[in-house]
Amino acid sequence: MHLLCCLLFFSLSHHNLNKTRTDTSKYPHDYFSKPLELPFILNANFGDLRSNHFHSGIDLYTNHKTGYNVHAVASGYVSRIKVQSGGYGNALYITHPNGYTSVYGHLEKYNRQISAYLLNAQYKYKTFEIDLYPAINELKVYRNELVATTGDSGFSGGPHLHFEFRNTLTEQIINPLLMGYQVSDHTKPVIAGVYIFSIYQAFGITRLKPGLFIHAIKTEMGNYRLNEEIHQAGKFILGVVANDTHDDNTGIHSVFSVSLKDNLKTIFESSLSHFGFDQTRAVNSYFYYPFLEKSKINVQLSYVDPGNTLPIYEASNQGIIDCRPSSPRKINYLIADVNGNSSELNFKVSCTTDEMKLRCVNDNRFNLAVRKEMIDPQGYQVPLIRYNRDTLLVFDRNGLPSKPEKAGVTLYFKAGCLFDNVLFNFSTRQRLKSESTSSYSNGQVNLENTDYLIGKTETPIKDSVLLGIKIPAMGSEKTDKWVLLTAGHDPALTKEKNGYLYTWIHNFGVFHLEQDLIAPVVTLVKSKKSRFLASKHIAFHVTDKLSGIGAYRATIDDKWVLFEYDAKNHLLYANFDQLSTSSKHRLSLHVLDKTGNTTDLTIDI
């Protein structure tokens, strides 16, 4: 019956042609030069979908190779040098006098001046990973000056240059293609089809119920229509599945803008022009999260959750359409890329008087269902968490509401951490014997055999929720070793305070605690000692099954030496150009995981 009650719209990315032209006038078009001497080809576009975030810049194609020259796109000064084993790897930030900062990520190496500055700081603070903020004009650069070479550092998916712009004052990320850069693109966005979602609202709760996917067909005029008629009753919203490619056809990208009209009235507009880093998880509201989470289907909603603060939306009625009997709706989608190529989808929605469909949208039926859902089988009311209020929930170890003095589990929802109000479910269960040993831990016995079922996996978290669990009696002696595990996500470290283990969770699901008592595994990559000094290079493979590599320290003849850490390939490596080959040297390596377990290795080289 649900399929008869609802219909929906699919989308990969979005944006509005008129809005695009307005946006470009806000940004400089001739100020910045190209960062590479290569053709301006994109591997990834601004706003492309990533796990729990938007892609925050553009990825420039480098022929699957490293080592191409990177040039400053305008004069200015180096305002930040960040080196990390993951993330952007070797990154460079250049602040320009016109109010923008250009960012270059996944670099292989910096120019001589910047490299010397970096190396001096790494030896001063005895660390590879470092985040430096040189003084204004300490490291001046000029337009088109060589500042680095392209690489594959950090968590890149292969050689390329990650390139972005930020507003220097607000740090909001700006779409680089609004800055006058041109990609070869004469291709209109492709519209695959739409979904209709019935929308129900009662007692502060909003529910979307998706219907069938309806395919779009390209017409002789180059636009789109649907391949079947739509009959709908009550309130509904739309979603659209669309994507964009460029002439070079290097990949499928997000579209720039989406505009939706109902009977010639604009009811929804979005354009991916800019957003803040603190807003990037709103990708889980921009797309229909239950589909994204379970089947990786990218359905862009033409609807704005009340807690979605992305600046990409224009004022509208949130995209809600109220379908009354005998009132057909003429629907128009205009979907464009940043270069002005656009596609239209036009169709009609017949507002039905069919009794079966009308029963599905009867408010009383929905109200009764919500009332029943708010009463848990144990006989207490399920809490309603409001997205715009601070809320603290307290439960005992059995998952029942509790007084603070008897708390086993606490959950703190800070205002703004959700996209909308949520009926919150919490319970506990005993783990099965087959589950009592984690696949992470090399046979480590799990001292805590409780699963914590927190919320519903199809509900996205905008920011994070603070979870507190009373320390298990059997693990009270090593409170710094506990980590929180959940399927599909990295282990979360915990901190002990007043007898509880606290950590911020970024998704709902089934969680359990486990202690990490296993030290990292360190293996020498090269086996022939005679080759170490001949090649001036040495590498170790380092892994940790649970909490992950946290820190390391290397010395040669008791003096600190710089080793670089490549997290995605699990490698620690160093080059010893200055090391004498006339005698043997003693290399000592000390590796810690994130809970403090250590491995020490000493070899002669």
Side-chain angles (χ1 to χ4, degrees):
M1 175 163 304
H2 290 326
L3 294 180
L4 294 174
C5 296
C6 332
L7 288 170
L8 165 104
F9 260 72
F10 245 0
S11 143
L12 197 91
S13 279
H14 359 320
H15 302 49
N16 171 307
L17 184 57
N18 294 331
K19 179 69 163 58
T20 301
R21 300 201 185 282
T22 301
D23 272 351
T24 57
S25 66
K26 299 178 181 179
Y27 304 103
H29 282 196
D30 301 315
Y31 190 90
F32 296 109
S33 61
K34 293 181 180 180
L36 299 176
E37 298 163 357
L38 298 170
F40 205 83
I41 299 174
L42 271 58
N43 279 348
N45 206 352
F46 184 83
D48 280 352
L49 172 65
R50 296 292 185 266
S51 177
N52 290 312
H53 68 280
F54 289 108
H55 187 239
S56 60
I58 58 177
D59 288 347
L60 294 175
Y61 181 69
T62 60
N63 295 318
H64 307 290
K65 298 176 183 179
T66 64
Y68 288 100
N69 291 339
V70 177
H71 301 277
V73 294
S75 296
Y77 64 92
V78 174
S79 52
R80 189 180 186 187
I81 307 166
K82 186 172 185 179
V83 175
Q84 58 185 149
S85 59
Y88 288 176
N90 299 324
L92 184 68
Y93 299 67
I94 300 176
T95 294
H96 309 286
N98 68 338
Y100 295 99
T101 295
S102 56
V103 183
Y104 315 78
H106 306 304
L107 302 171
E108 183 175 56
K109 59 183 180 181
Y110 305 97
N111 69 15
R112 287 186 179 182
Q113 182 187 25
I114 299 170
S115 293
Y117 182 93
L118 170 63
L119 189 62
N120 180 66
Q122 288 173 319
Y123 269 86
K124 178 180 178 180
Y125 298 107
K126 293 181 171 55
T127 179
F128 163 64
E129 295 202 0
I130 198 166
D131 197 0
L132 301 172
Y133 293 83
I136 294 176
N137 293 326
E138 184 176 5
L139 294 174
K140 289 185 178 181
V141 296
Y142 298 93
R143 180 184 174 94
N144 295 325
E145 179 182 348
L146 173 65
V147 292
T149 57
T150 64
D152 188 23
S153 60
F155 284 146
S156 65
H160 68 274
L161 176 67
H162 177 86
F163 179 58
E164 64 184 59
F165 282 103
R166 302 184 188 182
N167 181 302
T168 302
L169 184 62
T170 66
E171 294 192 350
Q172 288 232 323
I173 316 155
I174 313 295
N175 190 332
L177 297 185
L178 296 174
M179 298 291 193
Y181 293 109
Q182 295 292 321
V183 295
S184 180
D185 183 10
H186 301 85
T187 307
K188 292 183 176 182
V190 175
I191 302 175
V194 300
Y195 264 86
I196 291 183
F197 294 85
S198 294
I199 184 169
Y200 305 92
Q201 296 172 313
F203 307 109
I205 300 297
T206 298
R207 292 285 168 78
L208 301 180
K209 292 189 177 181
L212 296 174
F213 175 65
I214 305 171
H215 291 274
I217 300 173
K218 198 168 187 178
T219 68
E220 293 182 359
M221 300 298 293
N223 287 311
Y224 292 84
R225 63 177 178 81
L226 297 183
N227 68 346
E228 61 182 272
E229 295 184 358
I230 297 177
H231 301 275
Q232 182 65 21
K235 294 180 179 180
F236 66 94
I237 66 169
L238 300 174
V240 58
V241 177
N243 59 63
D244 187 44
T245 59
H246 300 151
D247 295 348
D248 52 67
N249 200 29
T250 56
I252 296 175
H253 307 297
S254 62
V255 298
F256 177 73
S257 66
V258 173
S259 175
L260 174 63
K261 291 183 178 180
D262 170 26
N263 285 346
L264 303 180
K265 178 185 177 182
T266 300
I267 62 170
F268 175 87
E269 287 183 290
S270 67
S271 59
L272 276 175
S273 57
H274 66 285
F275 54 81
F277 273 105
D278 59 340
Q279 300 167 318
T280 189
R281 283 181 60 88
V283 69
N284 294 326
S285 173
Y286 183 73
F287 293 101
Y288 183 57
Y289 186 74
F291 284 178
L292 199 64
E293 176 70 11
K294 291 183 178 181
S295 54
K296 309 304 178 186
I297 298 174
N298 307 334
V299 183
Q300 184 256 321
L301 294 174
S302 301
Y303 167 77
V304 186
D305 283 313
N308 184 344
T309 58
L310 279 171
I312 68 172
Y313 300 109
E314 293 295 306
S316 70
N317 69 346
Q318 287 190 306
I320 298 175
I321 302 171
D322 194 357
C323 202
R324 301 292 181 180
S326 303
S327 177
R329 324 297 297 205
K330 294 181 179 179
I331 305 299
N332 168 267
Y333 262 116
L334 178 64
I335 296 179
D337 62 30
V338 75
N339 296 298
N341 303 303
S342 64
S343 296
E344 284 194 54
L345 169 63
N346 294 284
F347 60 94
K348 292 181 180 180
V349 176
S350 297
C351 297
T352 182
T353 57
D354 184 276
E355 285 298 321
M356 184 164 59
K357 290 183 180 291
L358 289 175
R359 282 200 301 271
C360 292
V361 298
N362 185 291
D363 284 345
N364 290 331
R365 284 177 60 111
F366 177 67
N367 292 353
L368 289 172
V370 173
R371 281 184 181 277
K372 184 177 180 180
E373 189 180 66
M374 294 177 81
I375 304 300
D376 188 88
Q378 285 95 340
Y380 69 89
Q381 189 167 346
V382 175
L384 172 62
I385 309 299
R386 298 192 180 276
Y387 75 93
N388 56 357
R389 296 183 188 175
D390 289 350
T391 304
L392 177 65
L393 300 182
V394 181
F395 301 92
D396 64 19
R397 292 301 293 268
N398 296 316
L400 298 176
S402 170
K403 296 180 179 180
E405 60 269 19
K406 296 183 179 180
V409 177
T410 64
L411 287 141
Y412 171 63
F413 298 79
K414 60 182 177 180
C417 76
L418 299 175
F419 292 107
D420 203 348
N421 300 337
V422 170
L423 278 178
F424 183 75
N425 300 88
F426 175 80
S427 61
T428 62
R429 70 184 183 198
Q430 295 300 300
R431 292 176 60 78
L432 301 175
K433 289 184 177 180
S434 60
E435 299 175 317
S436 62
T437 299
S438 168
S439 60
Y440 286 99
S441 60
N442 278 343
Q444 168 68 42
V445 176
N446 180 16
L447 300 176
E448 166 64 7
N449 63 349
T450 303
D451 272 338
Y452 301 92
L453 286 68
I454 302 175
K456 296 181 178 179
T457 56
E458 62 266 26
T459 301
I461 296 177
K462 177 182 173 182
D463 189 356
S464 54
V465 175
L466 183 61
L467 170 66
I469 301 176
K470 194 168 185 179
I471 296 174
M474 294 182 66
S476 59
E477 294 181 358
K478 298 179 179 180
T479 58
D480 59 337
K481 301 296 184 183
W482 287 105
V483 294
L484 186 73
L485 303 178
T486 185
H489 298 270
D490 292 334
L493 300 179
T494 65
K495 290 187 177 180
E496 186 274 334
K497 185 177 182 181
N498 299 328
Y500 286 81
L501 299 170
Y502 289 97
T503 189
W504 293 97
I505 61 174
H506 306 283
N507 59 283
F508 293 129
V510 180
F511 298 82
H512 75 277
L513 285 169
E514 190 165 322
Q515 282 193 326
D516 181 7
L517 304 175
I518 306 298
V521 177
V522 180
T523 307
L524 181 65
V525 174
K526 291 189 175 182
S527 59
K528 296 181 179 180
K529 294 182 180 180
S530 61
R531 292 180 58 191
F532 293 164
L533 296 179
S535 65
K536 304 292 181 68
H537 179 85
I538 190 170
F540 296 89
H541 189 259
V542 292
T543 57
D544 187 78
K545 286 291 185 178
L546 197 52
S547 61
I549 301 299
Y552 64 90
R553 176 182 172 84
T555 61
I556 293 180
D557 301 334
D558 298 324
K559 293 182 179 180
W560 187 87
V561 63
L562 177 65
F563 265 71
E564 300 185 32
Y565 179 35
D566 178 356
K568 70 172 175 286
N569 293 310
H570 311 290
L571 288 176
L572 271 174
Y573 61 94
N575 294 291
F576 306 130
D577 294 334
Q578 78 287 1
L579 198 61
S580 169
T581 60
S582 60
S583 60
K584 286 187 176 182
H585 301 271
R586 174 61 58 92
L587 184 148
S588 297
L589 186 62
H590 181 68
V591 182
L592 297 85
D593 66 16
K594 292 178 181 178
T595 62
N597 301 303
T598 63
T599 296
D600 292 296
L601 183 67
T602 300
I603 61 173
D604 290 327
I605 60 174

